[in-house]
Each structure stands twice: as C-alpha cells, then as structure tokens.
Amino acid sequence: MGSKQKVRSAVRGADDAGREGSRPGVTKHFRYTQDDFLRFRQEARRCVELLGLTEWAVDYDFGGVQDGWWAHCRWNVVGRRATLALTDKSWPADVGKPDPIEHAWHEAAELLIAPLNSMLRTQLAEERVAEATHQVIRRIEKLLARVS
C-alpha cells in the first residue's frame, strides 16, 4: 500500500541532517527541506489532476513516512481518501538526494492503481502484487517525466 522507494538500510538512525562533521568518521546527511516538500506537494497535485484522480480526497504530509522510505502513499479505496507523504527524516549523503518531483510522480502513480492493488491483494500473494504494481508505476513515471 505504499511506495517502494526505499533508502538503503543505512538510513536507520541517521541524524545531524545536512551537516558534515569535523571529526573523522562523521558523515554528512541529507534531509528534505520544507521547500522540497512544497515542490513535492505542488507536483503531486498536478499529477493527481493530470491522471484524473479528482474523485479522491488527497492530503499531503511532510513526515509520517516509514523509516527507510523516501515517500509513501497511504490510501483507503472505500472512502477514496489518500495521503501522499515525503519523509522528513535524514539519510547518509552517499545514498544521494533524489528529486522530490520524482517521488511525486511515483506516489501519484501509486494512487492511480490503488483500487486495482486493493482488489489484487485479496486474491494473490502480496509479493507478486507489489512486483506487478511497480512495473506499471515505473512506466507511468517515465510518461510523467516526458510530459513535465
């Protein structure tokens, strides 16, 4: 039910975001900023509209993302409510800092196939559903990148 945009497990326990330590062995960390979140939210809203998902009540959250993930889509198909969230936690700089716009594309695509995902989860093994779901999402991301 969420984004599979996973940060390496080294993210767990990371702090001192955006600071490089002066002591040997202290690594620099990245953290998305409020401006990053505003870009994520703006692009996610645009994608939700572009994909015709206007029947959904969508909230946007800066935080509320499971440790180890950059972004997440939580949805309730019956109530047609969803939350698209960008992490506010830090991670090691060597992982890189993906553009929050790409996360917006992914999470909007996740919402697009949420009804299908919900139905399939009751019928098939969750791992097979997640794999098929993300094959479709990657294609949608490529399409959104071309039209942006």
Side-chain angles (χ1 to χ4, degrees):
M1 199 171 23
S3 172
K4 300 304 179 206
Q5 298 180 343
K6 186 160 182 164
V7 181
R8 287 190 219 156
S9 61
V11 171
R12 297 182 198 287
D15 54 15
D16 296 327
R19 298 188 191 124
E20 190 160 3
S22 56
R23 299 178 312 227
V26 175
T27 59
K28 182 177 180 178
H29 290 82
F30 281 133
R31 174 176 281 157
Y32 287 121
T33 65
Q34 185 67 29
D35 286 342
D36 291 326
F37 171 69
L38 294 175
R39 290 178 55 231
F40 168 83
R41 184 178 66 189
Q42 180 180 14
E43 183 65 8
R45 282 181 175 157
R46 189 183 78 79
C47 291
V48 165
E49 177 134 347
L50 182 68
L51 294 170
L53 301 172
T54 55
E55 75 276 11
W56 287 84
V58 181
D59 295 318
Y60 302 89
D61 189 15
F62 188 35
V65 176
Q66 175 183 345
D67 284 349
W69 302 94
W70 281 313
H72 189 76
C73 177
R74 292 181 301 278
W75 39 261
N76 175 316
V77 173
V78 175
R80 291 288 192 217
R81 294 199 52 83
T83 301
L84 281 66
L86 185 69
T87 189
D88 62 350
K89 294 182 173 71
S90 63
W91 64 90
D94 66 342
V95 175
K97 185 176 180 185
D99 190 338
I101 297 295
E102 294 174 12
H103 295 312
W105 299 339
H106 184 99
E107 301 313 323
E110 188 90 37
L111 182 58
L112 175 67
I113 62 174
L116 178 61
N117 198 338
S118 178
M119 287 184 285
L120 288 173
R121 287 179 187 271
T122 62
Q123 302 294 320
L124 300 172
E126 219 171 294
E127 184 178 313
R128 289 180 55 206
V129 172
E131 181 181 321
T133 295
H134 285 85
Q135 285 176 347
V136 172
I137 288 172
R138 283 188 290 279
R139 289 183 180 120
I140 293 168
E141 287 175 331
K142 288 177 185 177
L143 170 68
L144 290 170
R146 277 189 245 145
V147 300
S148 292

